[in-house]
Amino acid sequence: MRKHLLLLIASLIVFASVASAAPITYQVTVNTSSIAGTTGSLDFNFNPGPLVTQAASIQIQDFTSNGTLAEACPCGTGDVTGQLPSTVTIDNGTAYNDYFDDFTFGSTLSFDLSFYGPALTAPNGTSTSGSTFAFSMFSDPAGTVPALTSNTTYGYAAMIDVNLNGTTTPLDYSSETTITAVPEPGTWSLMALGIGLCLIVRRFAPGHDRCRSHGVLP
Amino acid sequence: MSYIPRISSSAVLHMTVGVLSAALLLGGKPATAQTFPVSGVSVVGNVLDITSNGVTSQGTLNGFTFIGILDPTPCAGGIYPAATKLWDSSASAELSAVRNNFNGNTVRFQVAEDLLYEPASQDFSQTVINSYITSVISDVALARSKGFAVIVSMQWETQASGTAVCDGASKTNYGHYGATINGIPGTSANNAWNALLTSSGWIANNFNNDSGVLLEMYNEPQMGSKCALASDWVAQQTDLQALLYSIRGDGANNILIVPSMSTEKTLDGSSFASIGGESIVAANATLTDTLSTPQLAYGMHPYPEVTTGNCPLGYFSTQGGASGTWNDFEEYFGNVALNPSFNAPIILTEWFTGAIDSDFCWNYSSPTTVPNGYTSTNDVFYSPTIATQFTSWIKTAGPGGTPISLAGAWAFDAGPGYWVQDTTNYYPTFFDGSFACGTQVTGTDGTKTSEGPGQTIANFFNNYVLGPVPTGEITVTASGLAYSRITKTFNGTITIENVSASSIDGPFQVVFSGLPAGVTVVNPSGTFSGSPYLTVPGAASLAPDQSATFSVQFSDPSDVTISLTPVIYLGSI
């Protein structure tokens, strides 16, 4: 009975580590080797919907690439601050919040994308529009020829919706792009604690792989 | 392509929407513009809810008036004996034609006040009266058994049993008495309703509790040759309120249709002298119901025609000519839609526009300039343009932009040329220009016919927009709007969800009202009342808790805040 209780606590801790953390962060990685050397452009925008929208923000962090960003800026329109490769913050405060920059592609680029603000941490239940982040790559500096995307109509390589319940939904339109959820440091700690507890229980109960049976361990 | 969703609930949500949409595509109940059969009708705020096959949803009552049961006595004159004869021989076929040839869901029976009750010095014997009551009950039962909503309208005018010597007595005052002013209801109306509503046959059929039966309290109250003034509305209100108490006291729990004034051509409560004032609709003549949930609708009889006389009633005589515009409908009939305090549905219990005239033609010489093309004061000016414009206007002309029911187009059995070409096949009439003034053609039943708006109304009934969905029945939510440098548009999705307890039939039209200047919808299905709208694809109906999602694209060259007020209409626009 005691072991069951410990297993339950361990499982809850592991699940809580997945479900409770904020802000929500994704790592976006793009294999740009097929267009390496091309002088093109990058576009990031984060906009509200047409109905009542709760405040939300994103931060583009840890931008890394062996390509080359243009130095000419300002690149932001609307509620945008910062400049790549340093952190860029975009709020959904106006209809059009966009960061657009010339870019000579290398073989790869990546960045972390964090979502935060009341729409994510405290959904008010009365808003009727979410917000949407869109990332596009272009093979021309003017941003008219989409690259590395199957979404040729609009040119998006990746989108992430902020839903009305505070969750997010990523949409990936590029075979070269990977969107990976990044657990926050606190989440790592919780998860480690939970897994540790599971291992301890497992250690003293040979032949009874409770953690696996609870779906906690792979 | 790969991603690892961190929180799966949103993904589940989107999957649910997708699955539901697929279900709708595969197995959704087909939408019908006219709810049928009608098992019940109720007033909910300023709209009507209709129950059919166990499902209750907002709807409209659309159909025809029948005059064939009004006066079966030898006193009847004019076109009425022929209508009575037709009804006696072909009632079932006539009703079937209303459904099969026109897609109507409602019939309106005019019944004679004078034949339901008479004072001691009556024109008719009690035997005649009892027989008439029995026949009315039988006719209502027949129409209800065929699935129609039935409006029973109390007719007091001369055509209700005539003015001639009949049944051994000379009639006076059309058998109408006891009113404050002749032309508005008095004790004779109270007595007539009492005779019908408390009769054993009516009670045996439980019609007092059949919400598919509606009672039009009094047909076309009027002042005779006198113009209706505000004081007349007060007099009508007084007498109608007394009549309401009497009818409710008789045990009737049905919807009562309160008539507007002066042949029900206007709901404007002010003097006709200020016809352009768009003043309060029937504000001087609204009634108080005794039911805990008021079941009152307000009726009118708009006949858009040239009219001359002492009162400035004629839309075309006062507003026509070179300066006339179709906005004058609102001036003529009252701007119901803009009156926020008027909280009851509007039902048109009579209406007609056609070629029924002394020379059997409408002024076909200038059809493209209608209504300004008429030249002859002898021609009552009807036209297909009037029919089309008017039926379009009533879609949103009700209180708060709600649809108006066109329940009693006059009259299905008035004779070939009105709504049907003949009384054999009941084909709708149509304005085909094949008639020359002064001529008629012979229908398949040998009767003469002329041009009428039958096909116009059949098309209208088939495609009538059911009106905006009441607040609280469907929610509308939207995603954020991602900007595309390729299309230079803001792109997202909109989701509608049925949060009511009942299934709602589509098609669903989402009207984007209130868009800021410079913001346009790139992919509209069309425009409605000046605003773009999108038809929700694949959503034939939405069961409770079901939703449907569709894409939307906005153009916003100035990057102003994109905002809108979505209004959902049902049916086709």
Side-chain angles (χ1 to χ4, degrees):
Chain A
M1 186 67 187
R2 187 178 175 188
K3 269 186 289 188
H4 288 163
L5 183 60
L6 283 172
L7 280 169
L8 178 62
I9 293 171
S11 301
L12 288 174
I13 290 172
V14 171
F15 285 124
S17 69
V18 175
S20 67
I24 297 172
T25 301
Y26 292 91
Q27 183 181 61
V28 180
T29 303
V30 187
N31 178 355
T32 58
S33 57
S34 64
I35 56 173
T38 300
T39 300
S41 49
L42 304 175
D43 184 69
F44 310 80
N45 65 70
F46 182 59
N47 301 323
L51 306 176
V52 178
T53 307
Q54 199 173 7
S57 302
I58 64 167
Q59 281 192 336
I60 305 168
Q61 301 165 305
D62 298 331
F63 183 90
T64 57
S65 175
N66 55 1
T68 306
L69 285 162
E71 294 183 357
C73 263
C75 306
T77 302
D79 284 350
V80 180
T81 57
Q83 182 175 343
L84 296 176
S86 300
T87 298
V88 172
T89 301
I90 308 178
D91 302 330
N92 67 347
T94 72
Y96 180 49
N97 312 291
D98 184 83
Y99 187 93
F100 180 71
D101 199 0
D102 293 352
F103 184 66
T104 301
F105 290 92
S107 60
T108 184
L109 71 83
S110 68
F111 57 88
D112 284 355
L113 188 64
S114 295
F115 292 80
Y116 60 98
L120 293 109
T121 57
N124 57 19
T126 58
S127 297
T128 46
S129 273
S131 297
T132 297
F133 166 81
F135 168 61
S136 305
M137 295 169 284
F138 303 95
S139 56
D140 64 322
T144 61
V145 182
L148 302 179
T149 177
S150 60
N151 186 341
T152 54
T153 300
Y154 299 118
Y156 309 132
M159 299 175 72
I160 298 176
D161 285 330
V162 176
N163 303 311
L164 294 174
N165 61 357
T167 62
T168 54
T169 303
L171 296 168
D172 190 341
Y173 295 107
S174 171
S175 60
E176 308 296 335
T177 301
T178 301
I179 307 173
T180 307
V182 179
E184 296 298 310
T187 309
W188 285 117
S189 302
L190 280 171
M191 188 175 289
L193 176 60
I195 292 173
L197 279 172
C198 278
L199 290 174
I200 292 171
V201 172
R202 188 180 180 182
R203 171 69 176 83
F204 291 101
H208 298 279
D209 193 349
R210 297 289 187 179
C211 288
R212 184 184 301 279
S213 69
H214 281 74
V216 175
L217 295 177
Chain B
M1 182 178 83
S2 64
Y3 68 84
I4 303 170
R6 182 179 195 179
I7 299 173
S8 60
S9 59
S10 59
V12 171
L13 173 64
H14 280 255
M15 287 173 61
T16 303
V17 171
V19 169
L20 292 177
S21 299
L24 292 174
L25 284 168
L26 294 172
K29 185 172 61 176
T32 54
Q34 302 302 316
T35 307
F36 192 85
V38 177
S39 55
V41 188
S42 61
V43 171
V44 180
N46 54 23
V47 299
L48 295 171
D49 269 5
I50 300 176
T51 301
S52 178
N53 294 318
V55 176
T56 300
S57 57
Q58 183 187 335
T60 49
L61 298 175
N62 293 299
F64 295 91
T65 288
F66 281 81
I67 58 174
I69 72 170
L70 177 61
D71 183 4
T73 73
C75 300
I79 61 176
Y80 291 87
T84 299
K85 182 179 179 181
L86 181 63
W87 179 261
D88 289 344
S89 64
S90 310
S92 182
E94 284 187 280
L95 292 172
S96 295
V98 169
R99 182 61 196 166
N100 298 333
N101 296 16
F102 291 86
N103 200 30
N105 64 1
T106 303
V107 294
R108 171 180 181 257
F109 292 133
Q110 287 194 313
V111 299
E113 175 187 280
D114 204 17
L115 276 164
L116 290 168
Y117 180 83
E118 275 289 294
S121 59
Q122 59 187 273
D123 299 311
F124 303 107
S125 68
Q126 194 61 45
T127 300
V128 171
I129 290 172
N130 290 343
S131 175
Y132 184 69
I133 291 174
T134 300
S135 68
V136 168
I137 293 168
S138 174
D139 295 331
V140 172
L142 174 64
R144 290 294 292 135
S145 71
K146 284 182 167 290
F148 291 98
V150 176
I151 297 172
V152 179
S153 174
M154 188 61 68
Q155 169 63 294
W156 63 278
E157 297 171 279
T158 179
Q159 51 266 49
S161 72
T163 59
V165 173
C166 185
D167 200 29
S170 179
K171 292 175 61 59
T172 58
N173 202 24
Y174 311 166
H176 176 79
Y177 59 89
T180 306
I181 303 171
N182 184 35
I184 58 177
T187 53
S188 56
N190 298 2
N191 292 334
W193 277 119
N194 175 267
L196 180 64
L197 301 178
T198 63
S199 67
S200 58
W202 191 268
I203 292 172
N205 281 280
N206 200 28
F207 285 147
N208 282 330
N209 297 305
D210 179 356
S211 62
V213 177
L214 297 81
L215 310 179
E216 187 175 31
M217 297 171 65
Y218 200 72
N219 179 72
E220 297 188 358
Q222 55 194 270
M223 301 293 115
S225 61
K226 180 184 174 187
C227 300
L229 304 175
S231 58
D232 299 324
W233 282 85
V234 174
Q236 174 180 260
Q237 182 186 34
T238 301
D239 283 4
L240 279 173
Q241 186 66 61
L243 180 58
L244 182 149
Y245 290 141
S246 177
I247 291 173
R248 292 295 187 218
D250 293 333
N253 295 311
N254 319 74
I255 292 174
L256 301 184
I257 301 175
V258 184
S260 56
M261 181 62 83
S262 191
T263 63
E264 302 190 28
K265 284 183 178 176
T266 182
L267 285 164
D268 189 327
S270 65
S271 164
F272 283 118
S274 59
I275 216 169
E278 297 185 3
S279 54
I280 304 302
V281 174
N284 295 339
T286 53
L287 304 187
T288 301
D289 201 357
T290 59
L291 300 181
S292 57
T293 301
Q295 293 296 298
L296 301 180
Y298 288 78
M300 58 188 293
H301 291 182
Y303 285 90
E305 65 201 39
V306 172
T307 305
T308 58
N310 297 326
C311 303
L313 294 176
Y315 159 65
F316 296 110
S317 62
T318 58
Q319 305 292 338
S323 63
T325 71
W326 289 106
N327 290 331
D328 294 331
F329 271 128
E330 293 184 358
E331 294 188 1
Y332 186 34
F333 301 119
N335 194 333
V336 190
L338 297 181
N339 183 352
S341 63
F342 191 81
N343 191 35
I346 303 296
I347 300 176
L348 306 187
T349 47
E350 285 189 20
W351 173 78
F352 183 72
T353 181
I356 308 306
D357 190 12
S358 58
D359 57 4
F360 303 102
C361 70
W362 49 283
N363 188 338
Y364 201 66
S365 60
S366 305
T368 57
T369 59
V370 170
N372 303 329
Y374 74 94
T375 56
S376 169
T377 56
N378 294 323
D379 281 336
V380 175
F381 190 85
Y382 302 106
S383 81
T385 302
I386 293 175
T388 302
Q389 293 279 2
F390 190 79
T391 51
S392 175
W393 178 73
I394 68 170
K395 288 179 177 179
T396 57
T402 56
I404 291 177
S405 290
L406 208 169
W410 199 94
F412 195 79
D413 50 357
Y418 285 74
W419 299 106
V420 297
Q421 296 184 35
D422 55 70
T423 54
T424 302
N425 298 304
Y426 298 98
Y427 293 140
T429 55
F430 50 86
F431 297 104
D432 68 347
S434 64
F435 301 92
C437 291
T439 64
Q440 291 177 285
V441 294
T442 303
T444 55
D445 60 352
T447 55
K448 298 290 185 181
T449 186
S450 54
E451 293 173 302
Q455 191 58 57
T456 303
I457 207 68
N459 294 339
F460 177 66
F461 287 177
N462 274 314
N463 297 289
Y464 190 23
V465 174
L466 299 184
V469 177
T471 302
E473 293 193 359
I474 288 182
T475 60
V476 182
T477 55
S479 70
L481 296 172
Y483 182 74
S484 168
R485 289 182 173 272
I486 307 299
T487 58
K488 302 191 185 311
T489 57
F490 291 84
N491 313 297
T493 59
I494 288 179
T495 298
I496 63 172
E497 180 178 1
N498 178 6
V499 294
S500 75
S502 304
S503 179
I504 299 175
D505 283 347
F508 300 89
Q509 320 287 351
V510 181
V511 179
F512 298 98
S513 62
L515 281 172
V519 176
T520 57
V521 176
V522 175
N523 59 331
S525 302
T527 59
F528 184 65
S529 297
S531 296
Y533 72 89
L534 280 166
T535 303
V536 180
S541 68
L542 290 177
D545 299 326
Q546 280 193 319
S547 61
T549 299
F550 59 97
S551 299
V552 61
Q553 293 92 46
F554 295 96
S555 174
D556 182 15
S558 301
D559 298 338
V560 300
T561 299
I562 299 175
S563 60
L564 58 90
T565 302
V567 181
I568 299 175
Y569 284 80
L570 304 178
S572 301
I573 293 180

